[in-house]
Amino acid sequence: MPTSHEPKLISGNANRPLTEAIAQRMSLHRGIDVGLVDARVERFNDGEIFVEVFENVRGEDMFVVQPTSNPANDNLMELMIIADALRRSSAARITAVMPYFGYARQDRRSKARTPITAKLVANLLVEAGIERILTLDLHATQIQGFFDIPVDNLYASPIWALDAMHHFKDRMDEVMVVSPDVGGVARARDLAQRINAPLSIVDKRRGKPGEVAEMTVIGDVKDRVCLIVDDIVDTAGTLCKAAQVLMDNGAKEVHSYITHGVLSGPAIERISKSVMTNLVITNTIQPTAAVLACPQIRIVNTAPVFAQAILNTWNGTSVSSLFNHKTLKPIYEGVYSG
């Protein structure tokens, strides 16, 4: 059991605004100020990362908030070095809060002589002294089995359900949830069941790596408000093409709910020129100026759910209670209260 009276938050450089937002939400719940542990995480001239913690953390329950997004290697090293510093400072327990788990797409050997990098990352995190992982929408749920420590994988689906029921409350009978590929059907079905909407699938066939040769819509999307659901949007090529195929098949509007907005390369330009009405992402990855300036992109705050998950972990109470959108509704009160 933790020996401190309050959980302690420490942030890397990957998404400090999210960490500060989590601390604010925790302060609201606790009725006292929950600040960030005073520390510096910086780089020497040769790029080496240096961490110094200025507060006593002996016997404390520590939560390190650090998505391993771009630059993935730097952010991963930051996380491990922070964990090592805390372990050597006699912290009671170290939980890595990884809103976005990088390298999750390398969860299996896709061909001969390739690595399973997600497993390697799991080994590195445990060796660094991390004793628990808290993350959101792992690309592949089997990654939880790569760890010999507890992994709490939260889901964006309950948040999307609240958002959809708020923004489409007057026309829920027109909404159809769409999976952009066969592999994402389980994720899309989960949201469809939560909002009592039908499900459609876009079946894609690749001509060569990185290129989609053909897309076929399975299901009748004519005159429907389509909600594409996925966990990662990277260059947005497949997403924008799927939106176009849905419109070509008679859809009234296309909106997308994607948890992690990687949005690299030509993504913003493609989204700006696409037929999508909205792309809704979370703030698990700190948005760039280009993302914030794109009128089609709307960002949903994950600080409320992470703050509650951290408090539940610290208290030793259920984290799985946050899988229910009815449980999340009071946590997001004021956002989806209409």
Side-chain angles (χ1 to χ4, degrees):
M1 292 296 292
T3 58
S4 70
H5 296 293
E6 298 297 328
K8 299 284 187 179
L9 290 181
I10 188 168
S11 178
N13 292 316
N15 196 345
R16 190 175 178 90
L18 175 57
T19 312
E20 292 171 347
I22 291 171
Q24 290 175 355
R25 292 291 304 195
M26 290 174 65
S27 299
L28 180 65
H29 287 306
R30 299 292 297 156
I32 58 174
D33 181 44
V34 178
L36 304 186
V37 168
D38 189 16
R40 64 175 174 140
V41 182
E42 56 188 41
R43 284 168 175 73
F44 293 127
N45 291 333
D46 63 354
E48 287 186 5
I49 297 166
F50 177 73
V51 173
E52 184 177 6
V53 181
F54 297 116
E55 297 181 23
N56 179 24
V57 296
R58 182 179 297 273
E60 302 284 9
D61 196 1
M62 302 299 303
F63 294 85
V64 187
V65 184
Q66 176 82 338
T68 49
S69 49
N70 185 33
N73 298 332
D74 287 354
N75 289 332
L76 179 60
M77 281 301 298
E78 269 192 21
L79 173 59
M80 292 191 296
I81 293 171
I82 293 170
D84 186 70
L86 295 174
R87 180 180 63 172
R88 294 177 188 277
S89 302
S90 301
R93 182 176 67 174
I94 303 168
T95 299
V97 182
M98 304 173 69
Y100 172 72
F101 189 101
Y103 284 108
R105 286 176 281 184
Q106 297 185 44
D107 62 303
R108 63 191 183 280
R109 296 186 68 187
S110 56
K111 56 184 72 174
R113 295 176 297 281
T114 57
I116 305 178
T117 315
K119 172 58 177 170
L120 173 62
V121 169
N123 292 343
L124 290 171
L125 293 173
V126 173
E127 188 63 27
I130 291 167
E131 298 167 72
R132 179 180 291 270
I133 303 289
L134 178 61
T135 188
L136 179 71
D137 266 4
L138 275 172
H139 181 67
T141 55
Q142 67 264 24
I143 292 174
Q144 294 173 87
F146 292 175
F147 290 87
D148 292 324
I149 59 174
V151 177
D152 290 313
N153 180 33
L154 302 174
Y155 298 98
S157 184
I159 304 173
W160 295 152
L162 291 174
D163 193 274
M165 289 187 288
H166 175 75
H167 287 279
F168 303 103
K169 57 186 175 184
D170 296 328
R171 46 180 180 157
M172 286 301 294
D173 58 330
E174 299 177 2
V175 169
M176 173 173 276
V177 177
V178 179
S179 173
D181 52 46
V182 175
V185 170
R187 182 180 295 105
R189 183 187 295 118
D190 182 35
L191 178 59
Q193 290 174 339
R194 290 178 189 274
I195 64 175
N196 194 27
L199 177 66
S200 179
I201 304 168
V202 176
D203 179 36
K204 63 182 179 184
R205 300 181 184 180
R206 294 191 182 275
K208 57 183 178 179
E211 291 187 8
V212 179
E214 180 184 354
M215 282 187 167
T216 305
V217 178
I218 302 173
D220 185 8
V221 298
K222 184 174 175 58
D223 296 326
R224 291 284 191 173
V225 176
C226 292
L227 310 183
I228 300 176
V229 181
D230 210 349
D231 64 319
I232 297 174
V233 53
D234 194 345
T235 59
T238 300
L239 178 66
C240 292
K241 188 166 185 177
Q244 184 63 60
V245 169
L246 290 169
M247 292 297 288
D248 292 343
N249 278 263
K252 184 183 292 185
E253 294 175 14
V254 177
H255 304 257
S256 296
Y257 283 95
I258 315 292
T259 309
H260 307 295
V262 176
L263 298 173
S264 58
I268 302 299
E269 181 181 359
R270 285 173 173 170
I271 291 164
S272 299
K273 295 178 179 179
S274 75
V275 297
M276 278 188 296
T277 304
N278 277 306
L279 166 61
V280 187
I281 60 175
T282 71
N283 61 341
T284 54
I285 297 172
Q286 185 171 349
T288 62
V291 172
L292 294 172
C294 182
Q296 283 100 325
I297 297 177
R298 180 163 58 86
I299 301 172
V300 172
N301 189 10
T302 56
V305 68
F306 275 113
Q308 191 63 53
I310 289 170
L311 289 172
N312 287 11
T313 300
W314 170 70
N315 283 321
T317 54
S318 173
V319 172
S320 62
S321 62
L322 301 176
F323 298 170
N324 191 326
H325 64 274
K326 294 179 181 178
T327 305
L328 282 188
K329 190 169 184 179
I331 297 173
Y332 276 86
E333 188 174 2
V335 181
Y336 302 122
S337 57

